[in-house]
Amino acid sequence: MIHRSLLITALALTASQTRAADAGVEFFESKVRPLLIKRCYECHSAEKKQKGGLSLDQRVGWQTGGDSGPALVPGNPDKSLLIEAVRHKDKDLAMPPKEKLPDGEIATLEQWVKMGAPDPRDGKVASASKKIDLDEGRKFWAFQPVAKPPVPAVQDAKWPASDIDRFVLARLEKEKLHPLNDADARTLIRRASLDLIGLSPSPEEVEAFVADSIRDPQSAFRNLVDRLLKSAHFGERWGRHWLDIARFAESTGSNWNLPYPVAWRHRDYVIAAFNADKPYDRFLQEQLAGDLLPASNDAQRNEQLIATGFLAIGQKDLQSLKPQIYKMDIVDEQIDCTSRAVLGLSIACARCHDHKFDPIRTEDYYALAGIFTSTEPMAGVKRLRKRDLPVTRLQALAGMPDTMTEAQRDAFVLAEYQATQFSLDLRDAEMLLGKAETELATAPGNTKAADEVAKLKTDVATANTKQEEALARFESLNKQDHASLAGKAMAVRDERKPADTAVLIRGEVDRPGAIVPRGVPAVLTKDEGTLNITRGQSGRLELARWLTSPEHPLTARVMVNRVWLHLIGAGIVESVDDFGKTGQPPSHPELLDFLAQRFMQNGWSVKQLIREIMLSRMYRLSSSHDASAYEIDPANRLLWRANRVRLDSEALRDAMLHVGGGLDLAPPAGSPVLQTANEIEFYKQKGLFNPIVLTKTHLLEADKITPDAKCMSDNCGHVHARGLLTRDYRFRSVYLPSIRGGNTEIRATFDGAAPEEVVGKRAVTTVPTQSLFLMNSPFAIECAKLLARRIKAASSDTDRIRLAFEYTLARPPTTDELTKTTAFLADYPKLPIKEGAEHDSDLAWTVFCQILLGSAEFRYRY
């Protein structure tokens, strides 16, 4: 007989594998299949030809391989022939043979192989897909209108505190289950505080809530929720959730990773919107078409312009080979983000072919694409190809001083570009001179070598003069540029001549097909998805209004599900970014529609939705274990208890600093992602002037909070006053620089969201490096020292121990914990140490505090 624990473990593992497989299929459909069609099918598909016996239009094709054997080794790019071929290291194997793929496309293939090469194609030879049946597609649950389900009757009429509870209890009773008891007051205040503001409650706040709960538990909790919803820190916590979805970052990503110096304005807009409880429909309209909405004053106009940064902050490959490819890649990124964020659909999978799973036609994709090709991103960067300079365009804010004309800005960017190139020229010339001088030293009488040295000295002098002149031009304009940024924002605006766009056959820009009118996916409408677009406009405003119509089947459902995820720990639809056929069905479909209707009826108020969920009895359940219920529902999809949720990387960092009194709760002004005189001087000293390129090695070490924090790059050691490296970031994690292609240590270790894509639900891994970080990182040790110093003022060791538990876990220690901790503190000085060393009297307390900060109870909210 199989042990129950083994069966439960197997079920949990299967669920985890299913989620990973879903993510892999999504990555293949949105990134890999279009790339294979575009770059490989011409020579390696059953429809065209199969050079070398290799077919890449079917899974079995790369598994079997061609004349040279299997094309891929799933999980190992370095041993995969296909990856070796596209890297062009072996000329005989190189593919495509005429021109190497862009680095970004090679990276996509490498990532796919690392993921295990997920490929949903069933192994049959590719054939023309059947025409999508829209009427049949509209029958899918997510594409049906939001219903108005009746509140169900329940057997235990005394248990529910709200209609939400009745939906949950009815489902539990159907499965012969009953919810656990309520959580205690200390657990509840910590849970609510972490959920709403991302900060632990103080011991004083805990004691006050416990006392209030004794008198009237429901009133006490209601008052707590209302207080937290009014906190300015609410927007910082819930704004971060949306920034994950909006793929917010302060750099372009890809190979030339240029900074977005004013992206922080959009971040602050999002935080302020959540604090103000801006209606969600208005929130979406401003982000998609704020520039097209009326405004009553300059402040409102600027707010709406900054909101449209949502469409400008995406990843951009500035080394894209062709201008049209560059533009269509940006459009694809905008479609992908908008559709996943708002609709929970992967519409971008229809760029090269009809969607393989959902009833989304290629015509639907290009109907949307026409809206975005009619839109100009004002991101401050452009394609970097030879003479195609990165002429900066940013949105001027109303009523703000503009100290730099477009012509002056173009001159500034040209000077910056030239300074970089001339620095490289100087470095190359100096290297050649050094080599020539070495050769001359070995043959002093060699006239040819002496002439070469003389020539190269002239070249070095010329290159040095050009570099100094370019630096002078750059530095004279740099101060003016920084002053100009005070009145600029990332945004979008309509192109001068908005127009419909053509379907691109297989997504190839040089193979245009029929022009399709701008519109939306037909399956989500009652007709062909056309929009009545105002003449001379892009159609973004009409798109925004369509998305936020009360009749829309997805917008309210998707947002309600996202809110549910962050409060309950799992979405009603577990695949929060995929409401299509490859996603998971809702565990409580009637409850989802009930909440979606309530959300819209309450004016799309996110705070009201949160309040209603939190005041349910279901939210207040204990997270304790029940063996019989666990056997029936190990994943807790029926909600018989509260889920235990691990703190995300930002909340964990903030909590570790906050409990020791080391977190600065005041929001910083702007962002550290700005170039400064110190950085420029640093690059000049290194002989490579390139302050605009951000790399993994020159990445903010935000976890290192000591006053003398330095750049950790090889042989650097430079202290940067501002910019990407800093002395002492103590403010909240939501304000830390977000750089594509790199991450701070705590974000990387604890599954921070990758800003290259929409992340509605973060991964939660358990790996050894997490424990090692909490035990050994300078950040963790420094936080433990802060906490140890904070509790030092207590009158006795017992009180210090009690205070440490209350700061970190919102509860006093148990008798057993107090006894063992006291013994540990007494025994610690007796431990052997290095010869000649002395015991630090405070070290034992630091170690004790570090144990608390590394405990599972601290890292999770119960």
Side-chain angles (χ1 to χ4, degrees):
M1 182 177 177
I2 299 176
H3 278 286
R4 292 178 181 176
S5 60
L6 290 178
L7 177 61
I8 290 166
T9 300
L11 289 171
L13 180 59
T14 300
S16 175
Q17 291 171 334
T18 299
R19 288 192 293 271
D22 290 344
V25 170
E26 184 178 294
F27 183 81
F28 177 85
E29 291 296 342
S30 64
K31 304 291 185 184
V32 180
R33 190 197 289 260
L35 196 160
L36 294 176
I37 291 173
K38 179 180 178 181
R39 302 292 191 184
C40 306
Y41 277 22
E42 190 68 27
C43 299
H44 299 285
S45 67
E47 184 181 339
K48 295 284 186 177
K49 61 186 79 170
Q50 297 185 31
K51 286 187 175 182
L54 176 63
S55 176
L56 292 174
D57 61 346
Q58 48 187 307
R59 183 174 65 245
V60 70
W62 61 257
Q63 289 175 331
T64 304
D67 298 343
S68 302
L72 299 178
V73 178
N76 195 332
D78 293 335
K79 292 187 178 181
S80 298
L81 285 174
L82 177 63
I83 301 303
E84 184 181 350
V86 298
R87 286 172 175 168
H88 274 223
K89 291 184 178 180
D90 184 340
K91 292 184 179 180
D92 295 331
L93 185 65
M95 289 193 297
K98 295 182 180 179
E99 185 177 26
K100 184 181 178 182
L101 296 180
D103 290 345
E105 293 185 0
I106 295 173
T108 294
L109 292 174
E110 290 172 340
Q111 184 177 351
W112 174 50
V113 177
K114 285 180 182 178
M115 296 168 71
D119 186 344
R121 297 175 297 178
D122 60 9
K124 298 176 183 178
V125 175
S127 60
S129 59
K130 296 180 180 179
K131 185 177 180 180
I132 288 176
D133 186 335
L134 292 176
D135 290 333
E136 186 64 28
R138 292 181 178 115
K139 295 177 182 179
F140 185 63
W141 76 266
F143 305 151
Q144 292 283 305
V146 179
K148 297 180 179 179
V151 178
V154 294
Q155 298 171 20
D156 184 0
K158 293 183 179 180
W159 185 84
S162 70
D163 287 340
I164 293 175
D165 294 326
R166 294 179 179 88
F167 280 100
V168 172
L169 184 59
R171 183 72 196 281
L172 286 169
E173 289 178 341
K174 184 179 178 180
E175 302 296 332
K176 309 299 182 184
L177 291 172
H178 196 275
L180 296 187
N181 295 328
D182 295 348
D184 63 84
R186 294 178 182 276
T187 299
L188 271 183
I189 186 173
R190 186 171 188 267
R191 180 188 300 174
S193 296
L194 289 170
D195 281 351
L196 290 185
I197 64 173
L199 298 171
S200 303
S202 69
E204 296 77 16
E205 289 171 334
V206 172
E207 293 307 318
F209 177 71
V210 169
D212 290 343
S213 297
I214 294 173
R215 291 188 290 270
D216 187 340
Q218 293 187 1
S219 176
F221 190 66
R222 184 169 56 251
N223 292 338
L224 171 67
V225 171
D226 289 343
R227 175 174 65 80
L228 293 172
L229 286 172
K230 292 176 183 177
S231 169
H233 303 308
F234 170 81
E236 293 169 336
R237 178 62 176 159
W238 282 78
R240 180 63 259 178
H241 295 326
W242 181 259
L243 293 173
D244 282 5
I245 297 165
R247 83 289 185 230
F248 173 79
E250 296 178 88
S251 72
T252 61
S254 197
N255 300 311
W256 269 79
N257 201 359
L258 306 193
Y260 290 147
V262 291
W264 60 270
R265 294 191 192 279
H266 184 75
R267 175 204 68 200
D268 288 0
Y269 160 82
V270 170
I271 293 171
F274 275 93
N275 274 333
D277 197 20
K278 187 185 290 288
Y280 182 64
D281 57 344
R282 178 71 183 190
F283 181 61
L284 292 179
Q285 290 171 11
E286 289 181 357
Q287 291 184 89
L288 293 171
D291 57 312
L292 303 175
L293 293 171
S296 58
N297 52 52
D298 284 352
Q300 185 181 6
R301 166 61 60 197
N302 290 340
E303 181 182 21
Q304 293 170 189
L305 290 173
I306 292 168
T308 66
F310 172 80
L311 294 173
I313 58 177
Q315 181 168 312
K316 296 172 180 62
D317 183 2
L318 302 181
Q319 288 187 318
S320 185
L321 297 175
K322 297 180 180 179
Q324 189 62 12
I325 293 176
Y326 176 68
K327 181 171 185 176
M328 292 310 296
D329 284 348
I330 290 176
V331 167
D332 182 72
E333 197 274 342
Q334 292 169 330
I335 291 174
D336 188 49
C337 181
T338 302
S339 62
R340 290 182 191 275
V342 183
L343 303 177
L345 293 177
S346 53
I347 292 176
C349 290
R351 181 180 184 179
C352 304
H353 51 75
D354 288 346
H355 202 292
K356 295 298 179 180
F357 303 103
D358 297 328
I360 308 294
R361 307 168 303 177
T362 305
E363 291 87 346
D364 295 326
Y365 175 91
Y366 286 97
L368 277 172
I371 295 173
F372 293 110
T373 57
S374 299
T375 302
E376 178 189 357
M378 304 182 73
V381 295
K382 288 187 73 175
R383 202 171 63 102
L384 291 163
R385 299 298 300 179
K386 295 182 179 179
R387 299 291 179 183
D388 187 9
L389 295 173
V391 181
T392 303
R393 294 285 185 270
L394 290 168
Q395 173 66 57
L397 296 175
M400 300 287 284
D402 190 357
T403 60
M404 207 172 199
T405 66
E406 292 293 349
Q408 288 173 319
R409 183 169 295 281
D410 291 350
F412 163 66
V413 176
L414 176 60
E416 181 178 51
Y417 180 83
Q418 289 178 336
T420 299
Q421 296 307 311
F422 293 155
S423 294
L424 292 170
D425 293 344
L426 176 61
R427 184 186 66 178
D428 293 344
E430 288 175 338
M431 289 174 63
L432 290 173
L433 176 60
K435 184 178 179 181
E437 287 177 334
T438 300
E439 292 178 357
L440 181 60
T442 59
N446 190 329
T447 306
K448 184 178 179 180
D451 291 343
E452 180 68 12
V453 168
K455 176 183 175 298
L456 288 172
K457 285 183 177 180
T458 302
D459 291 345
V460 168
T462 301
N464 187 61
T465 300
K466 287 183 177 180
Q467 185 206 36
E468 289 180 351
E469 290 174 350
L471 283 174
R473 288 194 300 272
F474 174 83
E475 291 174 355
S476 68
L477 290 165
N478 188 44
K479 291 181 180 180
Q480 194 172 356
D481 172 64
H482 277 282
S484 177
L485 290 177
K488 295 290 197 304
M490 296 180 72
V492 297
R493 65 185 176 192
D494 280 357
E495 292 279 7
R496 293 181 180 180
K497 295 182 179 180
D500 299 333
T501 193
V503 172
L504 300 181
I505 308 303
R506 289 188 171 177
E508 298 178 18
V509 297
D510 53 359
R511 297 184 63 188
I515 294 177
V516 294
R518 282 166 283 166
V520 297
V523 74
L524 300 177
T525 69
K526 297 177 181 179
D527 49 35
E528 282 297 305
T530 55
L531 292 175
N532 185 20
I533 296 175
T534 302
R535 185 177 178 83
Q537 289 192 0
S538 61
R540 282 183 291 115
L541 183 57
E542 290 77 10
L543 171 63
R545 287 173 174 164
W546 172 76
L547 287 170
T548 55
S549 166
E551 285 75 41
H552 200 290
L554 282 167
T555 306
R557 279 176 173 149
V558 169
M559 185 55 178
V560 162
N561 193 59
R562 295 191 188 284
V563 171
W564 188 271
L565 163 71
H566 293 303
L567 293 175
I568 306 304
I572 296 175
V573 176
E574 199 166 11
S575 53
V576 295
D577 295 325
D578 187 0
F579 272 53
K581 291 186 178 180
T582 59
Q584 303 297 314
S587 60
H588 298 74
E590 294 83 8
L591 175 58
L592 180 64
D593 279 8
F594 171 80
L595 289 172
Q597 287 285 358
R598 293 278 295 171
F599 183 40
M600 293 185 286
Q601 290 168 4
N602 289 328
W604 300 80
S605 167
V606 173
K607 284 190 175 183
Q608 182 59 33
L609 173 63
I610 291 172
R611 186 178 190 274
E612 189 166 355
I613 294 172
M614 292 186 68
L615 293 184
S616 68
R617 192 165 182 187
M618 177 271 309
Y619 178 84
R620 290 178 279 156
L621 289 176
S622 167
S623 63
S624 300
H625 182 70
D626 181 273
S628 58
Y630 191 80
E631 183 175 2
I632 296 171
D633 180 25
N636 192 34
R637 296 297 291 147
L638 302 180
L639 304 173
W640 50 272
R641 69 168 181 176
N643 289 307
R644 294 184 177 183
V645 180
R646 195 187 74 186
L647 304 187
D648 57 43
S649 59
E650 288 87 352
L652 180 61
R653 173 188 174 272
D654 290 354
M656 292 177 73
L657 284 169
H658 185 54
V659 296
L663 185 65
D664 183 356
L665 294 175
S671 169
V673 183
L674 291 172
Q675 298 144 11
T676 65
N678 275 17
E679 286 182 287
I680 293 170
E681 182 61 30
F682 161 66
Y683 280 98
K684 287 165 60 179
Q685 291 173 359
K686 298 290 284 186
L688 176 61
F689 180 79
N690 195 353
I692 60 176
V693 178
L694 316 183
T695 67
K696 291 182 180 179
T697 54
H698 280 85
L699 177 68
L700 161 71
E701 293 286 335
D703 307 329
K704 295 172 173 56
I705 59 174
T706 53
D708 60 344
K710 297 181 179 181
C711 174
M712 301 306 292
S713 303
D714 294 341
N715 303 317
C716 177
H718 183 78
V719 179
H720 293 244
R722 294 175 65 196
L724 305 179
L725 305 167
T726 185
R727 296 186 178 194
D728 189 5
Y729 282 150
R730 296 284 183 115
F731 44 71
R732 294 203 67 177
S733 298
V734 70
Y735 299 111
L736 293 176
S738 179
I739 307 302
R740 288 189 169 99
N743 232 331
T744 59
E745 187 178 3
I746 194 167
R747 280 175 175 167
T749 305
F750 289 94
D751 308 305
E756 289 79 15
E757 57 191 24
V758 173
V759 180
K761 181 180 181 181
R762 295 191 183 187
V764 179
T765 63
T766 302
V767 293
T769 50
Q770 293 165 354
S771 295
L772 292 172
F773 175 87
L774 294 170
M775 288 190 295
N776 301 321
S777 74
F779 173 77
I781 295 170
E782 179 66 17
C783 288
K785 289 179 180 178
L786 289 172
L787 179 57
R789 286 196 290 267
R790 190 175 196 184
I791 63 174
K792 195 171 184 178
S795 58
S796 66
D797 285 356
T798 298
D799 287 343
R800 291 172 74 180
I801 295 169
R802 187 183 302 276
L803 198 56
F805 270 84
E806 289 175 349
Y807 273 123
T808 55
L809 308 180
R811 65 169 179 83
T814 64
T815 301
D816 184 55
E817 288 169 337
L818 182 59
T819 300
K820 289 180 176 179
T821 302
T822 303
F824 165 79
L825 294 169
D827 292 342
Y828 192 84
K830 302 174 185 177
L831 295 175
I833 59 176
K834 291 182 180 179
E835 186 177 351
E838 295 182 2
H839 272 292
D840 182 352
S841 59
D842 292 331
L843 183 58
W845 287 100
T846 298
V847 173
F848 159 60
C849 289
Q850 192 174 357
I851 291 170
L852 289 177
L853 295 177
S855 66
E857 190 174 350
F858 179 78
R859 288 181 286 115
Y860 281 77
R861 74 99 164 123
Y862 283 8

